[in-house]
Amino acid sequence: MALLTVSSFSSACAQTSIAPAEARAIAKEAYIYGFPIVDGYRIQYAYFVDRGNPEFKAPWNQLRNIPRVYTPDDKAVQTPNSDTPYSMIGMDVRAEPIVLTVPTIEKGRYFSIQLVDLYTFNYDYIGSRTTGNDGGNFLIAGPGWKGATPKGVKKVIRSETELTFAIYRTQLFNPGDLDNVKKIQAGYKAQPLSEYLGQPAPKAAPAIDFIKPLTPDTQKTSPEFFNILNFVLQFCPTNPSEKNLMERFAKIGVGAGKTFGASKLSPEMKTAVEQGIADAWAEFADFKKKRFDTGQVTSGDAFGTRKYLKNNYLYRMAGAVIGIYGNSKREAMYPFYSIDSDKRPLVGTNRYTLRFAPGKLPPVNAFWSVTMYEMPQSLLVANPINRYLINSPMLPQLQRDADGGLTLLIQNESPGKDKEANWLPAPKGPFVMALRLYWPKEEALDGKWTAPPLKQPQ
């Protein structure tokens, strides 16, 4: 087997030799490891950097409230929810922490602030479940901050990475409730610590020359993927548990701040890297088919803290592919429908029913919803009645079965005006559905309650 020098990957690498087979294996590992990081960067670049992007929200460290729910026009994030108006902030905590202020929110309304680092780990939460609805100030600090807890701050929360993301969800009970949500959103605040304390600002961190991300399709095949990964890893101090992994990745020029010279690869190495990327997607496809689609692994296994995920990078990649920035299991559960009860893929030209038996509605402390997504984009579906989901606040308008159960009708064509109350419109082609349980009760968490199957009436 021919040996090729690693210098073709990066001038920063040591002049050691590596066989194409090993390069292929490492590229596969590094791709699985890096996909959530690279795809997350694509989204955050659109949200906080690219002012010309229709998805742009606000510059770094500025909170943006979105006083509406998501629709099919929102295309940056796969499988978005359409239950809770979002607020978002991308935080650069290199120079100093950011203080997030939350107003008092009435007890019956669910809200959460999901804190996500560049790895896509959900490292903590502020919200109804974790901190209550009484409001307060919460400090988000970077990995290098060593200050004391400031007066008036309820909790110091530390991000593992120097750039971090907060996703706010504020429950909307019905369309007429939107003004109430807007008032709550107006009470959300974000301030640098120095501003919160009324002190001079520290020296600013160096300006970041953000590089342009790849498109969703291109990042599935292009070796340039690793150059994006290297850029983002600059803001991710190496976790002690990954020291050996980073040394292995360095053999092909993957690491914080390295330049991955994709255009300078020899034909053999370019093929090896591309094969490694293809191998990563093949492993994901096999995992999805054999373990995720069968329910052996659920979305609850794919989102959470580093400790919870135990550095399972395939699970982390699966979470990012299926629904990046999903919540941790105790915050929300996402039973997922990609096949029917006969193990067949879902297609909108078929007719399906989803029936909850009497007393078997999803057990939640907050609310539940069933949301439709068109494949392969995993985005909300435009339809004549502008209904993208059915959720528990809609229960008074839904028709119950004779025994008190609830049957939802899933199909492309209207089931008829008399049945449209329970109709969740599907696209004509392939689709998937997410059943969301916000703040699930223990019987959902421990498996005593399970989601019913999606059936085709005989």
Side-chain angles (χ1 to χ4, degrees):
M1 181 181 290
L3 295 178
L4 298 130
T5 62
V6 75
S7 59
S8 61
F9 286 88
S10 170
S11 59
C13 290
Q15 294 292 318
T16 56
S17 296
I18 182 170
E22 185 179 7
R24 177 176 177 173
I26 296 173
K28 174 189 173 184
E29 292 176 37
Y31 189 92
I32 290 172
Y33 173 89
F35 180 83
I37 299 171
V38 172
D39 198 46
Y41 176 74
R42 173 186 64 82
I43 293 165
Q44 294 187 33
Y45 184 91
Y47 280 3
F48 310 123
V49 180
D50 184 4
R51 293 171 185 265
N53 193 302
E55 300 286 350
F56 182 76
K57 308 304 179 198
W60 294 96
N61 295 340
Q62 292 186 29
L63 181 63
R64 166 74 187 279
N65 293 312
I66 304 168
R68 60 173 178 82
V69 291
Y70 270 36
T71 73
D73 292 332
D74 297 285
K75 301 182 185 299
V77 176
Q78 305 94 299
T79 60
N81 95 40
S82 192
D83 299 282
T84 59
Y86 285 104
S87 303
M88 297 182 184
I89 181 172
M91 293 175 283
D92 180 348
V93 290
R94 291 174 299 152
E96 61 176 321
I98 299 294
V99 177
L100 302 181
T101 298
V102 176
T104 301
I105 298 172
E106 72 265 36
K107 296 296 182 186
R109 187 186 301 273
Y110 169 84
F111 88 101
S112 70
I113 305 175
Q114 175 189 1
L115 298 165
V116 193
D117 63 23
L118 290 176
Y119 294 110
T120 68
F121 291 128
N122 298 330
Y123 59 92
D124 212 336
Y125 278 88
I126 301 163
S128 301
R129 178 183 67 88
T130 53
T131 58
N133 282 32
D134 294 334
N137 301 306
F138 303 87
L139 184 144
I140 313 303
W145 187 72
K146 296 181 171 64
T149 302
K151 184 178 180 180
V153 168
K154 278 191 171 182
K155 185 179 182 182
V156 172
I157 302 172
R158 193 175 295 276
S159 168
E160 190 179 322
T161 59
E162 295 173 338
L163 301 178
T164 179
F165 185 24
I167 307 169
Y168 296 56
R169 296 173 175 90
T170 309
Q171 184 178 3
L172 176 73
F173 295 126
N174 53 61
D177 183 45
L178 190 57
D179 283 346
N180 296 319
V181 170
K182 290 179 180 179
K183 289 175 185 176
I184 293 168
Q185 289 182 327
Y188 294 139
K189 294 180 182 177
Q191 300 169 283
L193 177 59
S194 58
E195 181 181 315
Y196 170 80
L197 295 173
Q199 297 176 353
K203 181 181 178 182
I208 300 172
D209 184 12
F210 290 98
I211 61 176
K212 189 175 181 180
L214 300 174
T215 66
D217 286 339
T218 306
Q219 67 188 17
K220 290 182 178 180
T221 57
S222 173
E224 281 293 340
F225 171 96
F226 295 109
N227 213 32
I228 305 288
L229 177 59
N230 288 353
F231 173 81
V232 183
L233 286 175
Q234 296 177 86
F235 310 104
C236 306
T238 298
N239 186 277
S241 68
E242 294 180 345
K243 185 174 181 293
N244 291 340
L245 192 70
M246 288 300 152
E247 290 174 355
R248 177 167 166 77
F249 290 171
K251 291 181 179 181
I252 63 165
V254 170
K258 296 182 185 297
T259 299
F260 188 90
S263 62
K264 298 179 181 178
L265 295 178
S266 67
E268 296 91 342
M269 276 301 187
K270 184 172 185 291
T271 297
V273 171
E274 289 173 343
Q275 288 173 332
I277 294 173
D279 292 343
W281 282 109
E283 181 163 341
F284 165 76
D286 185 67
F287 165 82
K288 182 177 181 297
K289 180 180 179 180
K290 294 180 180 177
R291 304 196 63 199
F292 197 86
D293 290 348
T294 60
Q296 294 179 43
V297 176
T298 70
S299 62
D301 300 312
F303 301 109
T305 61
R306 177 184 289 277
K307 181 179 179 181
Y308 175 78
L309 284 174
K310 299 182 175 66
N311 286 4
N312 187 319
Y313 306 119
L314 184 59
Y315 280 21
R316 191 173 75 185
M317 177 184 177
V321 174
I322 293 163
I324 194 167
Y325 301 139
N327 277 296
S328 300
K329 185 176 182 179
R330 288 197 169 272
E331 196 66 39
M333 291 178 63
Y334 305 96
F336 204 74
Y337 293 95
S338 58
I339 55 175
D340 65 18
S341 56
D342 294 319
K343 312 298 184 188
R344 293 173 297 198
L346 307 179
V347 182
T349 49
N350 294 333
R351 297 182 177 187
Y352 303 93
T353 59
L354 182 63
R355 184 174 191 271
F356 298 99
K360 294 293 184 180
L361 288 174
V364 291
N365 292 297
F367 68 95
W368 58 264
S369 67
V370 182
T371 308
M372 171 67 62
Y373 300 103
E374 187 169 14
M375 295 301 285
Q377 303 93 334
S378 296
L379 297 175
L380 297 169
V381 178
N383 62 80
I385 61 172
N386 294 323
R387 180 182 293 165
Y388 317 123
L389 57 81
I390 291 177
N391 61 19
S392 50
M394 296 167 63
L395 281 171
Q397 288 79 49
L398 301 180
Q399 296 175 354
R400 292 298 187 118
D401 301 336
D403 62 0
L406 176 67
T407 299
L408 305 184
L409 308 175
I410 319 295
Q411 58 193 61
N412 176 249
E413 293 185 357
S414 169
K417 286 290 183 183
D418 59 326
K419 297 180 180 179
E420 277 191 358
N422 291 27
W423 177 38
L424 181 56
K428 290 182 179 179
F431 70 89
V432 297
M433 297 193 314
L435 170 58
R436 290 180 165 89
L437 285 70
Y438 282 93
W439 193 356
K441 292 184 176 179
E442 284 301 319
E443 54 262 43
L445 292 166
D446 63 17
K448 291 179 181 175
W449 177 90
T450 56
L454 191 64
K455 295 183 177 180
Q456 286 195 59
Q458 301 301 315

